[in-house]
């Protein structure tokens, strides 16, 4: 119940994302990121939620911020896959 408990926001944001309540997910994940700005996992899920709402610019920003935090190799690979996907979207279908 304490809003400063970062893990509560992470869990709520992740569950909202999985249930496709994307606006709620973004709300909780942005709070989690504010409270714990050094957590690349939060930025990754936040970027995924942004993508689900077609907020591609914000998603790209979140993924790039996550990479700046030097996440583990597996997380780097997941983030780079999302960035490649975003590049493909920017290129359009005819490219």
């Amino acid at each position: 119940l304490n809003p400063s408990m970062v893990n509560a926001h992470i869990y709520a944001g992740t569950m909202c994302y999985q249930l496709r309540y994307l606006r709620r997910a973004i709300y909780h994940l942005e709070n989690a990121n504010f409270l714990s700005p050094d957590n690349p996992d939060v930025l990754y899920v936040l970027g995924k939620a942004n993508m689900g709402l077609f907020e591609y610019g914000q998603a790209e920003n979140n993924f790039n911020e996550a990479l700046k935090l030097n996440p583990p190799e597996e997380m780097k690979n997941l983030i780079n896959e999302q960035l490649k996907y975003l590049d493909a979207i920017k290129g359009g279908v005819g490219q």
Side-chain angles (χ1 to χ4, degrees), residues 4-37:
S4 67
M5 291 180 55
V6 68
N7 286 339
H9 285 292
I10 293 171
Y11 298 142
T14 302
M15 287 309 302
C16 287
Y17 173 75
Q18 290 178 355
L19 293 169
R20 306 303 292 165
Y21 299 137
L22 299 177
R23 281 283 167 224
R24 290 181 195 166
I26 289 170
Y27 168 80
H28 287 293
L29 293 165
E30 284 179 344
N31 282 324
N33 187 50
F34 176 76
L35 296 169
S36 180

